[in-house]
Amino acid sequence: MHKNPHGLTRTVRQKNVPLLLEALGRPERSLHGMLVVGTNGKGSTCAFAVAAVTAAGARVGSMPSPHLQEPRERIRIDGVPVTRAQYTQAFAEVWHAIERHGLPVLAQGVFAATAAVHFRRAGVDLAVAEAGIGGSRAAAAELGLDVKVVTGIGLDHTRLLGDSLDQIARAKTAATRDGDHVVLGRLAPEAAAGAEQVLRERTGLTVWRMDRDIHYTVRASGCGTATLLDVTTPRAVHRNLPCPLPGAHQHHNLATAIAAVDAMTERGHIPQPDGARLRDRLAATRWPGRLELIDPARQADWTGRVLLDGATNPQGVATVAPEILRNARTGDCPRPPALVFAAMRDKDVSSMLAPLPSHWPLILTRTGSHQAADPAALHNQLSPSRQGPCLTADDTTAALHQAAEHAGPGGLVVVLGSLRLVGETRTALGLPPA
C-alpha cells in the first residue's frame, strides 16, 4: 500500500473523498454531465465537448486534469479558467473542511472538491470532468455524472492499474454506475473485452460504441484546409464539423465528444446544439500543450519554433509522432530538431523515444515534480542504438537553452514526455495559463 508522510494509505485517502463532499454540504448534488476516463485523449475530448455544450446555450463547468501552469486551470466556466481569487476562495472552503473534520485526501480529491464548490458558488449545474489516473478510484467519479466516456486504453500507470490492457480497461470502466449512458471509444480487442466484462456487471446502461453505433468520416483535410468531419451517432447526423486540433487522432476525440454531447442531449441535460453554432464553437477549440506550436518562440537571444506535446506514454508518443515529423520537415533551418524530454520515474523511456529519429539531439531534464525521474536515470534507460548527442540539464530552463543551441536560429525544439514539462516550458516562454 502506498502511504503519505503521515502514514495514511492511498486507499484511505480515496475513501475520504465522499466524506469530504458530505462535510461540504454535497456541492456536487445538482451536477449533471459527463466524466471522461481513459489513457490518452481525455483532455482534448473534454475540450471539444465543452465547445459543443456551449453551442447548445448551456453554461458548463469543466475539470481538466492535470493543470499545466497553475491549479486554477483545473476549474473552468465555459472553457475559461477561473481567476486566482475565485480558486483561492473555493480552495479555502475545502481546506477548512479537511482540517475541521480530519479528512486528508489525495490531491485529486482536493481538486475535485474545489471544482464542485466553485460550481455551486457560480450556479453551474452541468459539468464536463476528466478523471485522473483511475476509473472508479478517480476522485471525479464521486461527482455522480451519469454520462461516462472511455476514450481509449493503453499501457500506462501499470503500478496502480495493472500490467495488461484487460486490467487497465477494467479499472477505467469501473467508473460506470447502474443506469449510466456509456460512450466507448475505439479500443483494442483485449481492452474491449475487459471493458465489456465490467459493463455486463451493471444494469440499466445505454452503451454507444465507436465503429458500431458511432461513426465518423473525414471530408476534407490538408495543408491550409480545415479538417471537416461527418459524425453519426444513434441520435443525430452532424455534418462538416471542423477539427482544429492537429493530428489524425483528434478526429476520433472529436467524434467521441460529439457522441457524449448527444448522450447528454438524450438525457435531457442540454438542448440539441444548433448546427451552425456548433461548427463555430468547435472551430474555436484550443487545447494548450497538445501539439501546440509556438511560432515564433523566443528564449534569451534565440528565436525559433517550439512544439509542445504532453504525451506521457509510448502509445501517446507514437500517436503524435507523425505530426511532430511533419513539423520537422517545415522551416528553412538545416539542423535537425532538438528534443527536450522529461518523465516520471515509472515510465518506459526507451519505448517513448522510439518513434522519433535517434539522431536528433536529446536533452534530458527533470521537472519540479517530486515524481520526476533524475536525468541520469533517464539516460540509463536509453536505447544503445541511439545515434545523436545526448545531454542532461538540471531544470527545464537550462534544457531549453541547450536545445536552442543545438537547434540553431530559426530551428525547431520539441518538448514532450511530461505535461509538467510542457507547463514549465510555457512559463519559461512567457505564455500565460490558458
Side-chain angles (χ1 to χ4, degrees):
M1 302 292 290
H2 304 285
K3 295 186 178 183
N4 67 355
H6 302 290
L8 291 174
T9 66
R10 185 183 185 91
T11 301
V12 168
R13 287 179 288 154
Q14 287 171 334
K15 289 182 177 179
N16 278 345
V17 174
L19 299 177
L20 173 60
L21 292 170
E22 183 68 34
L24 289 164
R26 287 289 172 184
E28 84 287 2
R29 183 179 290 117
S30 66
L31 289 178
H32 302 284
M34 57 185 272
L35 173 68
V36 182
V37 303
T39 304
N40 295 312
K42 299 188 295 294
S44 300
T45 299
C46 288
F48 284 131
V50 167
V53 169
T54 60
R59 192 160 175 254
V60 57
S62 56
M63 297 169 48
S65 175
H67 62 276
L68 296 181
Q69 293 167 267
E70 294 185 20
R72 66 187 179 93
E73 299 167 32
R74 292 176 180 256
I75 307 176
R76 298 167 184 254
I77 304 296
D78 293 341
V80 179
V82 298
T83 66
R84 291 174 180 171
Q86 289 170 328
Y87 183 87
T88 300
Q89 290 171 356
F91 176 83
E93 184 174 340
V94 172
W95 195 253
H96 290 158
I98 290 173
E99 292 188 320
R100 185 169 61 250
H101 296 277
L103 294 171
V105 298
L106 296 170
Q108 291 291 335
V110 175
F111 291 132
T114 302
V117 165
H118 180 75
F119 294 158
R120 178 172 62 185
R121 287 168 174 257
V124 171
D125 57 11
L126 190 74
V128 172
E130 178 181 351
I133 293 174
S136 63
R137 296 185 297 176
E142 300 294 341
L143 301 182
L145 306 177
D146 62 347
V147 173
K148 302 297 196 314
V149 181
V150 182
T151 56
I153 301 297
L155 290 174
D156 199 11
H157 300 295
T158 55
R159 179 175 57 85
L160 296 173
L161 302 178
D163 57 6
S164 70
L165 292 179
D166 174 84
Q167 290 176 313
I168 294 173
R170 288 170 183 262
K172 300 280 189 180
T173 313
T176 58
R177 299 290 182 265
D178 293 347
D180 279 350
H181 193 135
V182 181
V183 175
L184 292 180
R186 189 174 291 132
L187 304 178
E190 182 184 354
E196 295 291 349
Q197 179 60 45
V198 172
L199 296 181
R200 284 193 290 270
E201 299 168 0
R202 307 287 188 261
T203 61
L205 295 181
T206 301
V207 184
W208 292 351
R209 299 168 177 85
M210 186 65 69
D211 302 324
R212 186 187 305 183
D213 310 290
I214 309 160
H215 301 274
Y216 67 92
T217 56
V218 179
R219 293 178 58 87
S221 63
C223 183
T225 303
T227 302
L228 301 178
L229 272 66
D230 290 345
V231 178
T232 302
T233 75
R235 180 178 178 86
V237 177
H238 306 271
R239 299 195 183 279
N240 296 323
L241 299 182
C243 183
L245 301 185
H249 59 290
Q250 296 293 3
H251 305 162
H252 173 272
N253 295 339
L254 173 58
T256 304
I258 293 300
V261 171
D262 275 0
M264 287 194 285
T265 304
E266 190 101 334
R267 296 228 151 180
H269 298 334
I270 59 172
Q272 185 73 42
D274 170 76
R277 187 175 173 87
L278 175 61
R279 289 187 287 272
D280 287 345
R281 292 301 177 93
L282 289 175
T285 303
R286 300 292 181 267
W287 196 230
R290 284 73 171 181
L291 288 174
E292 179 184 15
L293 181 64
I294 311 301
D295 183 14
R298 294 179 175 86
Q299 180 80 351
D301 58 353
W302 176 82
T303 300
R305 297 179 297 147
V306 175
L307 181 64
L308 307 169
D309 194 84
T312 60
N313 50 63
Q315 175 184 311
V317 178
T319 298
V320 300
E323 191 69 16
I324 293 175
L325 295 173
R326 185 189 69 78
N327 276 275
R329 291 191 294 269
T330 64
D332 300 325
C333 183
R335 299 189 193 180
L339 180 62
V340 176
F341 182 88
M344 292 166 56
R345 288 189 292 267
D346 61 348
K347 299 298 182 177
D348 183 349
V349 175
S350 180
S351 296
M352 289 179 69
L353 292 173
L356 299 176
S358 65
H359 70 277
W360 286 5
L362 173 65
I363 296 90
L364 301 171
T365 189
R366 67 173 301 150
T367 66
S369 169
H370 70 280
Q371 297 177 313
D374 184 81
L378 295 175
H379 192 279
N380 291 337
Q381 296 185 58
L382 296 179
S383 169
S385 63
R386 180 157 195 89
Q387 301 171 6
C390 181
L391 305 156
T392 61
D394 292 335
D395 55 39
T396 299
T397 301
L400 291 172
H401 282 298
Q402 291 190 31
E405 291 178 2
H406 280 271
L412 175 66
V413 172
V414 178
V415 177
L416 86 162
S418 160
L419 282 166
R420 181 69 175 264
L421 175 66
V422 167
E424 291 182 3
T425 299
R426 294 186 99 255
T427 299
L429 294 176
L431 299 175

